[in-house]
Amino acid sequence: MVETFDVVIIGGGPAGYACALKAAQLGLRPAVVEARPSLGGTCLNVGCIPSKALLDSSERFAEVKKLAEHGIIATDVQLDLARMLSRKNQVVKELTNGLAGLFRKGKIALFQGHGRLLAPSRVAVTSDGRTRELTAPSIVIATGSEPAAPPAIRLDGIHVVSSTEALSFDSVPPRLVVIGAGYIGLELGSVWARLGSRVTVLEFLPRILPTADAELAALVQASLTRQGLTFQLGTKVTQINVESGRVVVTAEHQGATQQYEADKVLVAVGRRPKTSEVGLEEVGIRTHEKTGKIDVDRRTYLTNVPGVYAIGDVIDGPMLAHKAQIEGEALAEMLAGHAAVVNYNAIPGVVYIWPELASVGLTEEQLKEQGHDYRVGRFPFLANGRAKALGETEGVVKVLTDAKTDRLLGVHIFGPRASDLIAEAVAVMEYSGSGEDLARFCHSHPSLSEALGEAARHAAFGKPLHF
Ligand code: NAI
């Protein structure tokens, strides 16, 4: 029997589930095909959420050391890793169950199994050897991404692992080598360093966080080094050998071969779009030669095959859950006959280390590359009253504006709760606001957000008020 819907979405991650929820709210009949037993994709199951649960728990463990300066004496502090991991699992369970509840409420049909395109309007769902067929005038591919590994490196899931396994080590590895100083490497490297691992990060490039503003990335590196992480930059990992539980990582640095011994190795060198076994070739859907991402019209998310759309990590752009979600919502609106547009210039990015690094818009390097005439405003958290009271004075806000028009071009925050502070900068950029707008907003006092106003004053008027 073939079941008919208005839209069939392959993948129940942030792109797919958001598309389904919105489509249902707008009166369409969506169906979602999801291979995992729970909704939420990588983000909820083995990505953003469990990593944040562990980051928050390990941060508290690390914070205990800072309590003495607040006049609080905490002695005999111990780590109960099993409980920390089960709390993380509980957080994931509650959120994935919550999504399942929203699906029931929205009467969204959920098919658990592997989805594959048979034709532009037909999807086969295979589960336990049984195949059923769904049909709809619109099919959405939202299959996400999976960890990538260099060809010479084999992930065994025990000693040489991806982020998925690094969220569930059952004991703290005494020596952890992290390959790649990107989002995952720094976040999970931080978790295990806080819990007691000796963490060495090997990075191919001469800097960490290649897409971040270089000035702030350097501050992040110095901060994490103080927290006990070791960085080996310009270091290309060529081989990993596992012998009786002992892992040896071989790397090249300035023409010389180096070896690192470890108990666990986390490979975090990027993710690749998940496009195999979805039936792309059979239906003739075009992918990008180099990145393997599905080619779409960036405004409509339509592939080269009429009726087939793609959103989230499988298409161009940063592999971020909120970017995927906003694309899912926009596509649902368009499928329901409404207008929708995603502003790709105002998508924030956050690295949830401590202090956090959050940014939106262009970096100083990008402005230089584009030959843009720009102004820079900075304000250190050291001069912010709330940061002082919190005892969290590390970091800086950096505001970049157009030198002629004062339009806000980029905001980069390295500091406490930068993930929340960046929202204000996103709003100003979304409305094409200026540095002066950000400077003149009334920021509550005392609050960390005042540092944004001060950095904007620096850019717009040449000086912060507290100078
Ligand atoms: P990434 O692209 O952020 O960083 C990978 C790093 O590995 C780069 O710095 C690269 O130069 C380096 N590298 C590549 N090959 C290497 C080699 N052979 N030896 C040494 N270094 C090498 O990728 P990552 O951290 O794996 O994250 C994947 C994606 O997941 C990111 O694109 C990010 O968007 C997303 N993510 C987002 C998070 C967030 O929003 N907080 C958290 C975690 C992941």
Side-chain angles (χ1 to χ4, degrees):
M1 195 187 85
V2 179
E3 291 173 70
T4 306
F5 296 91
D6 291 325
V7 50
V8 172
I9 302 158
I10 308 177
Y17 85 65
C19 188
L21 289 177
K22 192 73 182 183
Q25 285 171 6
L26 295 174
L28 297 177
R29 278 193 67 227
V32 170
V33 183
E34 171 55 55
R36 275 197 174 89
S38 54
L39 284 164
T42 299
C43 173
L44 254 74
N45 290 283
V46 287
C48 329
I49 296 299
S51 63
K52 259 80 270 175
L54 285 187
L55 277 156
D56 285 330
S57 294
S58 61
E59 214 167 279
R60 291 187 184 204
F61 187 59
E63 261 172 21
V64 173
K65 293 180 196 141
K66 301 185 204 161
L67 288 180
E69 72 182 75
H70 291 268
I72 301 163
I73 309 302
T75 47
D76 197 26
V77 176
Q78 288 174 38
L79 173 66
D80 181 348
L81 182 61
R83 191 152 172 193
M84 197 180 275
L85 295 179
S86 82
R87 175 188 174 272
K88 171 211 64 169
N89 294 339
Q90 186 60 25
V91 169
V92 170
K93 199 168 146 204
E94 284 172 21
L95 288 170
T96 52
N97 284 348
L99 257 186
L102 289 177
F103 264 48
R104 282 193 295 275
K105 200 171 135 201
K107 297 192 174 37
I108 298 165
L110 176 60
F111 294 88
Q112 210 241 309
H114 180 84
R116 187 187 182 94
L117 278 164
L118 297 172
S121 59
R122 284 165 52 211
V123 173
V125 185
T126 312
S127 168
D128 296 331
R130 225 180 111 222
T131 300
R132 47 211 296 195
E133 204 180 306
L134 316 178
T135 180
S138 304
I139 307 289
V140 180
I141 304 169
T143 44
S145 61
E146 56 196 356
I153 293 173
R154 198 181 72 82
L155 302 178
D156 64 12
I158 301 164
H159 298 102
V160 186
V161 304
S162 73
S163 53
T164 303
E165 294 83 18
L167 289 167
S168 299
F169 291 149
D170 55 10
S171 62
V172 178
R175 295 162 305 175
L176 173 67
V177 165
V178 174
I179 307 177
Y183 280 68
I184 294 179
L186 298 191
E187 289 187 2
L188 289 178
S190 290
V191 165
W192 294 106
R194 289 169 191 163
L195 299 182
S197 290
R198 193 141 48 82
V199 175
T200 306
V201 184
L202 308 180
E203 166 58 50
F204 171 63
L205 295 173
R207 56 165 289 185
I208 68 164
L209 295 170
T211 54
D213 187 273
E215 180 185 349
L216 268 64
L219 293 179
V220 169
Q221 188 184 334
S223 173
L224 292 177
T225 303
R226 281 194 296 277
Q227 291 173 41
L229 283 85
T230 303
F231 289 91
Q232 298 290 344
L233 305 182
T235 302
K236 188 179 177 200
V237 173
T238 51
Q239 209 181 330
I240 303 179
N241 292 316
V242 185
E243 277 163 35
S244 26
R246 193 174 141 258
V247 196
V248 179
V249 178
T250 307
E252 277 167 19
H253 174 72
Q254 294 176 346
T257 301
Q258 294 176 334
Q259 292 201 316
Y260 301 86
E261 271 198 39
D263 302 285
K264 298 273 186 196
V265 176
L266 163 62
V267 180
V269 296
R271 296 178 63 86
R272 60 167 174 244
K274 215 166 162 181
T275 50
S276 60
E277 295 167 30
V278 192
L280 298 191
E281 303 80 13
E282 288 88 330
V283 180
I285 291 173
R286 241 185 355 242
T287 53
H288 191 273
E289 211 177 295
K290 276 204 187 119
T291 62
K293 292 189 171 189
I294 297 176
D295 279 339
V296 290
D297 175 321
R298 287 309 294 269
R299 206 180 46 81
T300 61
Y301 305 110
L302 192 56
T303 66
N304 60 305
V305 174
V308 182
Y309 302 81
I311 49 174
D313 283 7
V314 279
I315 67 165
D316 198 20
M319 289 184 170
L320 297 171
H322 45 275
K323 174 259 191 192
Q325 180 184 318
I326 205 159
E327 286 176 346
E329 259 188 285
L331 177 56
E333 286 176 301
M334 287 188 270
L335 293 176
H338 301 280
V341 68
V342 173
N343 178 3
Y344 286 95
N345 297 322
I347 293 184
V350 179
V351 192
Y352 291 84
I353 47 176
W354 191 266
E356 293 174 337
L357 178 71
S359 47
V360 62
L362 299 171
T363 62
E364 194 167 352
E365 294 69 52
Q366 287 171 320
L367 290 173
K368 278 185 185 147
E369 255 171 50
Q370 293 175 8
H372 221 113
D373 199 5
Y374 64 91
R375 278 200 300 257
V376 187
R378 292 185 184 80
F379 195 77
F381 283 100
L382 193 63
N384 172 274
R386 188 71 205 282
K388 274 259 188 236
L390 282 166
E392 296 290 351
T393 51
E394 192 178 356
V396 65
V397 177
K398 179 173 175 181
V399 165
L400 298 160
T401 55
D402 186 291
K404 281 189 213 79
T405 64
D406 192 36
R407 185 171 172 164
L408 193 60
L409 300 172
V411 175
H412 307 272
I413 308 172
F414 175 49
R417 296 285 168 232
S419 57
D420 295 317
L421 295 176
I422 200 70
E424 183 183 355
V426 173
V428 176
M429 289 199 54
E430 190 66 54
Y431 289 112
S432 307
S434 65
E436 187 174 343
D437 288 330
L438 189 53
R440 291 193 188 278
F441 285 174
C442 186
H443 295 94
S444 46
H445 175 79
S447 74
L448 297 169
S449 69
E450 288 175 289
L452 252 96
E454 286 288 57
R457 280 190 190 100
H458 186 203
F461 313 135
K463 271 186 192 142
L465 188 63
H466 296 84
F467 178 73

